[in-house]
Amino acid sequence: MTVEYSGKGDPARSLALLWRTSERASRKGKPELSVDRIVRAAIEVADAEGLQALSMRRVAERLGVGTMSLYTYVPGKPELFDVMLDAVYGETARPDDVPGGWRGRLEQIARENWALYLRHPWLLQVAANRPVLGPNVTAKYDYELRAVDGIGLSDLEMDSVITLITGFVHGTARGAVEAAQAERMTGLSDEQWWAAHAPFLSRIADAARYPTASRVGQAAGEALNAAYSPEHAFEFGLQRVLDGIEALVGRRRKDSSA
C-alpha cells in the first residue's frame, strides 16, 4: 500500500499555499487556473484512483492543461499534497449546538471523521506524524478540543482524548475501506465468500475442540451476517471509548471536589 507523508514540502512554500499569502493570477490566454481549482482536481484524482495515481501530470490531464502550467501556482507535489489534506479536513461539519453534552459532541466528531475517511479513503494512507499547519486543520483541531473544554480535564488530557477518538475512528474506518475493496477486487460479497467456503468449513470445524470459538463465532456471524462488520465495530467501539472517557471525567470531578 502506498504511504504518503505530510509536511515533506518546503515549509515556506507550503505555508504560503496553505494560508494563501500569495497566489499568481492565471496568464492571459491560458485556461482559468487557481490553487483551489488545482487542489480540487488533485483530490478528485486521489478519490477516484488512489494516491498511487496522483502526480502533477495526472492533475494537469484532469484539468486539460499542460503540466508546467501547474507550477505557476503550486511549487510541486509535496506542497500540493499538504494543501489537499488541509482542504478535505475543512469538510467536517462543526455545529455549535450539539445535544448530549461533551459525550454528544465527541460522538458527533467521531461520526464526522468516519464519514470523511469513507469519502476520501486515501486519507488512510497518509502518515500525518508531522501535521499540516493549515487553516482547516487548525480550525478542526480547535473545534474538537472545545468539545471537552471545561469538563475538568487538563490540557494534556484534552489533547489525548481527541487523539484517542480520532485514532479509534482511523482504525475502524480502515476496516470499512478494506472490506469494500475486498468485495470490489474479488467480485464476491461477504455472504458469497462464506457460502463458497461453507462446505469445506463444515468438514474441518470441530466444536468439541474449539467450543468457545464455535459458539461465539456462530453467534457473531448470525447477528452480523458476516465474520466482521466495520459498522458494528465502529458503533460498539465508539460507545466503549466514550464510556472510558466518562470514567476519566468522573474521576477528575471527584478529585476536584475532594
Side-chain angles (χ1 to χ4, degrees), residues 191-242:
E191 289 183 14
Q192 292 170 323
W193 188 89
W194 280 106
H197 286 73
F200 304 96
L201 289 173
S202 63
R203 298 176 194 169
I204 61 175
D206 187 346
R209 187 175 183 183
Y210 309 110
T212 308
S214 298
R215 186 188 78 247
V216 174
Q218 181 177 349
E222 290 174 353
L224 304 176
N225 203 29
Y228 172 72
S229 167
E231 293 77 15
H232 174 77
F234 173 76
E235 296 294 343
F236 180 84
L238 176 58
Q239 298 309 315
R240 303 297 75 76
V241 170
L242 293 174

Side-chain angles (χ1 to χ4, degrees), residues 123-139:
L123 283 172
L124 296 167
Q125 298 173 241
V126 178
N129 305 75
R130 297 170 180 174
V132 175
L133 303 177
N136 289 319
V137 168
T138 303

Side-chain angles (χ1 to χ4, degrees), residues 26 30 112 132 149 176:
S26 60
K30 294 259 183 195
E112 282 295 319
V132 175
D149 194 18

Side-chain angles (χ1 to χ4, degrees), residues 10-234:
D10 178 89
R13 290 181 171 185
S14 284
L15 289 171
L17 274 177
L18 286 163
W19 293 90
R20 303 297 196 275
T21 57
S22 63
E23 183 171 349
R24 296 278 296 274
S26 60
R27 295 176 180 175
K28 201 170 185 179
K30 294 259 183 195
E32 185 76 26
L33 278 180
S34 67
V35 172
D36 287 341
R37 189 175 172 215
I38 293 168
V39 170
R40 283 196 300 273
I43 292 169
E44 289 169 1
V45 170
D47 286 348
E49 305 172 40
L51 283 185
Q52 69 279 1
L54 183 66
S55 67
M56 297 295 278
R57 176 180 293 181
R58 185 69 192 86
V59 174
E61 289 173 354
R62 192 171 189 90
L63 289 167
V65 300
T67 303
M68 294 308 296
S69 65
L70 301 187
Y71 292 97
T72 303
Y73 304 89
V74 180
K77 182 181 172 182
E79 292 82 7
L80 173 61
F81 187 63
D82 284 350
V83 185
M84 288 170 59
L85 288 172
D86 192 66
V88 296
Y89 283 129
E91 295 176 6
T92 55
R94 295 162 198 167
D96 292 326
D97 188 16
V98 178
W102 65 262
R103 185 165 178 140
R105 292 191 294 271
L106 286 182
E107 185 167 339
Q108 185 267 340
I109 287 167
R111 294 188 187 284
E112 282 295 319
N113 279 277
W114 168 269
L116 185 68
Y117 284 125
L118 298 190
R119 285 198 304 275
H120 306 293
W122 53 271
L123 283 172
L124 296 167
Q125 298 173 241
V126 178
N129 305 75
R130 297 170 180 174
V132 175
L133 303 177
N136 289 319
V137 168
T138 303
K140 180 177 182 290
Y141 179 56
D142 185 77
Y143 175 82
E144 292 172 348
L145 286 173
R146 283 188 279 122
V148 290
D149 194 18
I151 64 173
L153 302 180
S154 69
D155 287 350
L156 177 58
E157 287 171 337
M158 288 168 57
D159 177 80
S160 297
V161 162
I162 297 307
T163 300
L164 175 62
I165 289 288
T166 55
F168 163 74
V169 175
H170 185 280
T172 51
R174 180 180 295 278
V177 168
E178 289 175 350
Q181 289 175 340
E183 183 168 342
R184 187 168 59 252
M185 296 296 290
T186 64
L188 294 174
S189 67
D190 279 350
E191 289 183 14
Q192 292 170 323
W193 188 89
W194 280 106
H197 286 73
F200 304 96
L201 289 173
S202 63
R203 298 176 194 169
I204 61 175
D206 187 346
R209 187 175 183 183
Y210 309 110
T212 308
S214 298
R215 186 188 78 247
V216 174
Q218 181 177 349
E222 290 174 353
L224 304 176
N225 203 29
Y228 172 72
S229 167
E231 293 77 15
H232 174 77
F234 173 76

